[in-house]
Amino acid sequence: MKKIAFYGKGGIGKSTTAANVSAAFSRMGRRVCQIGCDPKNDSTRLLLGRIAPSTILDLEREKKGAGLTLDDLVHEGWNGVRCIEAGGPDPGVGCAGRGIIVSLERLKALHAFDDLDVVLYDVLGDVVCGGFAVPIREGYAAEIYIVSSGELMSLYAANNIAKGVQRFAARGAVKLGGIIGNGRDVLREQELLAAFADRIGTQLIAYIPRSRSVHEAEIHRQTLIAYAPESEQAQHYVALAQAIDTNEMLTVPTPMEFEELEELVERYGN
């Protein structure tokens, strides 16, 4: 079973990328489950065509764990992709990371992963909270992919995530599988992302150019794989899923100092 997690700066396009990759894997005949680890409950929206009607934490609060089954927690999405949302507290109330811990423990107890080919965790933001590090720390995910653009703060977040992977790699089998470039039309962006990946000891596994078609599909609450499967942009997601499927370049990263990162961005920006 492929156990992968997507990390990256908030707003960089992790959920859109994750949903399209999940859809692409399902078209390859794989049994796929996408788990949204974000209190916003929107990771699986494009697969379900709506916000998930309930989250694990919703049901835990309602039933206090009593009598919960896997069918209660799983929502079937496009082409049979299983969709699960961890959920979390309202903004400003409680710890969102704690919700991830509770949710993944519940899924493990219910043997949610026993009959799957691919499990994809879509994880909120940077690795600064212990809860968000759970997929890495507890071995739920074995391959980490960092979604980043060529913008400085996106790369800064990617570098911080690489630090987290480096720290937890010493304890288990988790490794960094690569950087997924999500285009923002930054000058020489693909070259910059490739240079950054090389410097921290990994690869630019894919570069997805900016496209209006992604936005059009999102308006229709669909992945591009479902909305325009033959489009050139959809093929970038298909290629990414195929690259992840066959990826053998799994490494322990060597993060950069911030000053070195700034110099790299400046060099490619001039």
Side-chain angles (χ1 to χ4, degrees):
M1 181 176 65
K2 276 279 187 185
K3 301 187 295 182
I4 61 182
F6 283 10
Y7 281 84
K9 177 180 176 291
I12 196 57
K14 288 186 305 299
S15 295
T16 297
T17 304
N20 276 283
V21 168
S22 290
F25 268 121
S26 74
R27 283 190 63 191
M28 293 161 60
R30 306 301 169 82
R31 295 166 296 181
V32 186
C33 179
Q34 181 167 318
I35 302 174
C37 300
D38 187 328
K40 295 195 305 296
N41 184 26
D42 61 353
S43 171
T44 57
R45 172 179 172 269
L46 300 181
L47 293 163
L48 292 169
R50 58 173 179 164
I51 293 293
S54 62
T55 71
I56 295 178
L57 282 194
D58 289 338
L59 295 169
E60 289 281 354
R61 283 189 288 263
E62 288 173 14
K63 298 188 177 183
K64 296 185 171 28
L68 280 181
T69 68
L70 199 54
D71 287 340
D72 294 325
L73 308 180
V74 177
H75 309 284
E76 185 170 339
W78 183 83
N79 205 34
V81 176
R82 300 180 195 176
C83 300
I84 300 173
E85 293 284 352
D90 292 331
V93 181
C95 173
R98 178 61 189 164
I100 297 173
I101 296 171
V102 171
S103 297
L104 296 188
E105 287 176 350
R106 171 63 65 181
L107 291 173
K108 185 176 181 180
L110 291 172
H111 302 281
F113 313 117
D114 290 357
D115 62 342
L116 295 169
D117 300 313
V118 180
V119 178
L120 195 160
Y121 300 89
D122 175 17
V123 189
L124 171 67
D126 205 341
V127 184
V128 293
C129 166
F132 299 123
V134 166
I136 300 176
R137 190 180 67 228
E138 302 299 331
Y140 288 100
E143 300 176 28
I144 308 302
Y145 293 90
I146 304 174
V147 182
S148 179
S149 70
E151 297 161 314
L152 175 60
M153 296 316 295
S154 181
L155 289 168
Y156 177 71
N159 196 57
N160 274 347
I161 294 161
K163 290 179 183 178
V165 175
Q166 181 189 49
R167 183 177 303 113
F168 292 118
R171 305 182 188 178
V174 65
K175 296 289 189 297
L176 182 60
I179 304 296
I180 299 171
N182 202 30
R184 288 291 190 270
D185 293 333
V186 173
L187 184 65
R188 298 174 67 192
E189 186 169 36
Q190 187 168 355
E191 295 174 66
L192 169 58
L193 286 163
F196 170 75
D198 182 67
R199 171 57 187 80
I200 68 171
T202 187
Q203 62 183 324
L204 179 62
I205 194 165
Y207 178 75
I208 301 170
R210 197 175 184 91
S211 171
R212 183 178 297 176
S213 61
V214 176
H215 178 61
E216 291 174 1
E218 288 182 336
I219 290 173
H220 290 85
R221 300 185 297 278
Q222 296 181 55
T223 63
L224 203 60
I225 298 295
Y227 181 71
E230 304 306 320
S231 66
E232 181 179 350
Q233 189 71 8
Q235 300 316 303
H236 287 291
Y237 293 116
V238 171
L240 172 56
Q242 291 171 340
I244 291 173
D245 190 43
T246 58
N247 186 21
E248 295 183 354
M249 186 179 175
L250 304 174
T251 65
V252 177
T254 53
M256 307 170 71
E257 295 297 326
F258 183 63
E259 293 76 15
E260 186 183 358
L261 177 60
E262 283 188 311
E263 291 173 6
L264 180 70
V265 173
E266 184 178 5
R267 183 159 70 248
Y268 280 86
N270 288 329

